[in-house]
Structure formats: C-alpha cells, structure tokens
C-alpha cells in the first residue's frame, strides 16, 4: 500500500492484455498481415513487437535484412489491410474489459487519480474498441493516447508525456505506468515514471517481465486500487 503523499496523480495503462481482453487477436492479425504482404516472420519476430505501434511493427517486419525501410506511401495500404483484418477479428470475437478492470478504474478516479490509456493501435481501431466497451467520452477514462499520435511509439516515452500534457500532470514521479509487455515497462522506465508496473494478464509472463526494469509486478490492473490503498 502506498501513502497519500506518494500516491500517483495519473495512471497510464496499456489496452490489449492490460485493460482489455481481445484474445491476443492483434498479434495473430499482425502475423497474418505480414505474411500476406510477403514476410516470413517467426513467433519470436512477432513477440519482439508486442506493445509496439503497429505501423512501426509492420514497417520493420516487412523490411528485408539490410534493405531500405518501406516508404510511408508503400506502408499505407498495408496498415489499412491490418486495420481491416483486425476489425473483422474483433467483429468475430468482440473484445471485453478484463475482469475487475472497470471497477478498478472507477475506484482510482473516485480517489482523484486520473486514468489514461495508451496503445499501439491507431485512432480508428481505438475508437471502435472504446465504442464496443462502452468507454467513450470521459465516463470511464480521462484520455487515450495512440501510437499514431506521437513521433515514435514504445519504448519511447512520448505517449506517457502526451497523456501528462493532456491532463496537466507535471511531476513524472507521480505517474504510474502499467502494461503487460516489456515495451510497456521500457517506456515507463524511459519516462522516469515513479511506478513502472508489469501486469500478468496479457502477452508476457512473470519471467519475461522480471527481466526488464520495473518497480512492481501485479496479477492485474484490477489489483491497483488495493495496491495504492484506495479500495473502498
């Protein structure tokens, strides 16, 4: 339990695997899209891009060794194909909030802690996800930052800084960053966040997350209120 003097002002949470259960469809679709456009990724190649901005992952996975990266113009239809495939996957199996997460977000906000989501998805995918979850507007969260909103996605800290900017939070030591992949932890560490929390609800297990700098590991975002001492 943390004291009120060290309690974060803002929590910045990943989406897929951290707050949202989408059956890891995003990584299956990422692989399908790369293969459809001539790539031959291994499971390790895909895993390397867990938590990344998806347009960055597609560019890297389709760039041949020693070759020039795809231009933005060449990448655009590939990103559109990925988005269409992911939309179809989500229509077939709609994403849902992970157990206990909506209640945890409500408890955090009731305690005066602002809640931001950050994600490697682009804005169109995020909007459809939020609509499916019933999380539009500011009834559940305070803001959402997408990988397409910043110059570089995770492990760069820019999505975290953008959330701070949008919510007028000045002190990075009063920010908690949580996610289910090493890139989430790396972004939190690179930002200098006071709390860098790995959660075991998604793509990475305890062994993988433990290998990266962090302050805490928790089973789920649902455990944050009790960890922070704000449980009703």
């Amino acid at each position: 339990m943390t004291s009120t003097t060290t309690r974060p002002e803002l929590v910045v949470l990943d989406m897929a695997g951290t707050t949202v259960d989408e059956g890891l469809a995003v990584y299956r679709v990422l692989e399908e899209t790369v293969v459809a456009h001539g790539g031959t990724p291994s499971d390790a190649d895909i895993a390397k891009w867990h938590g990344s901005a998806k347009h960055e992952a597609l560019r890297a996975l389709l760039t041949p060794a020693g070759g020039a990266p795809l231009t933005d113009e060449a990448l655009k239809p590939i990103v559109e194909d990925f988005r269409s495939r992911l939309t179809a996957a989500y229509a077939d199996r709609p994403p849902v909030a992970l157990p206990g997460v909506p209640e945890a977000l409500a408890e955090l906000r009731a305690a005066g802690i602002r809640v931001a989501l950050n994600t490697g998805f682009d804005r169109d995918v995020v909007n459809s996800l939020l609509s499916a979850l019933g999380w539009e507007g500011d009834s559940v969260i305070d803001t959402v930052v997408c990988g397409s909103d910043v110059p570089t996605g995770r492990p760069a800290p820019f999505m975290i800084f953008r959330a701070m900017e949008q919510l007028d939070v000045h002190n990075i030591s009063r920010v908690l960053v949580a996610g289910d992949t090493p890139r989430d932890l790396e972004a939190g560490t690179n930002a200098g966040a006071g709390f860098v929390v790995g959660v075991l609800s998604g793509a990475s297990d305890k062994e993988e997350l433990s290998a990266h700098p962090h302050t805490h590991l928790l089973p789920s975002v649902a455990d944050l209120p009790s960890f922070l001492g704000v449980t009703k």
Side-chain angles (χ1 to χ4, degrees), residues 144-170:
V144 183
V145 181
C146 303
S148 53
D149 295 337
V150 295
T152 309
R154 306 181 189 112
F158 303 139
M159 286 197 289
I160 299 166
F161 294 152
R162 181 65 59 88
M164 292 176 66
E165 178 185 10
Q166 291 177 348
L167 297 175
D168 197 29
V169 173
H170 302 167

Side-chain angles (χ1 to χ4, degrees), residues 120-214:
F121 295 139
D122 65 26
R123 184 62 60 178
D124 287 345
V125 172
V126 167
N127 287 344
S128 65
L129 268 175
L130 295 177
S131 177
L133 293 165
W135 289 6
E136 306 104 313
D138 59 0
S139 61
V140 178
I141 54 176
D142 294 291
T143 194
V144 183
V145 181
C146 303
S148 53
D149 295 337
V150 295
T152 309
R154 306 181 189 112
F158 303 139
M159 286 197 289
I160 299 166
F161 294 152
R162 181 65 59 88
M164 292 176 66
E165 178 185 10
Q166 291 177 348
L167 297 175
D168 197 29
V169 173
H170 302 167
N171 187 347
I172 189 64
S173 70
R174 300 289 300 278
V175 175
L176 182 152
V177 176
D180 67 305
T181 71
R183 282 177 182 263
D184 294 303
L185 302 184
E186 291 165 359
T189 299
N190 289 338
F195 304 81
V196 179
V197 180
V199 294
L200 305 178
S201 54
S204 300
D205 60 18
K206 184 176 181 180
E207 181 179 5
E208 183 176 13
L209 293 180
S210 294
H212 298 267
H214 61 278

Side-chain angles (χ1 to χ4, degrees), residues 6-83:
T6 59
R7 183 180 295 168
E9 298 177 45
L10 168 67
V11 298
V12 181
L13 309 172
D14 175 48
M15 290 189 70
T18 300
T19 54
V20 178
D21 177 8
E22 48 86 71
L24 299 179
V26 60
Y27 302 118
R28 293 197 301 274
V29 170
L30 180 63
E31 181 177 9
E32 290 171 6
T33 306
V34 172
V35 170
H37 292 273
T40 56
S42 66
D43 290 345
D45 292 331
I46 297 298
K48 178 181 175 182
W49 291 93
H50 286 176
S52 68
K54 301 307 174 280
H55 64 283
E56 294 176 3
L58 288 164
R59 192 194 304 271
L61 289 165
L62 285 167
T63 296
L70 294 176
T71 65
D72 289 347
E73 191 64 26
L75 185 64
K76 186 175 179 180
I78 299 172
V79 172
E80 291 293 339
D81 184 29
F82 167 81
R83 184 185 296 138

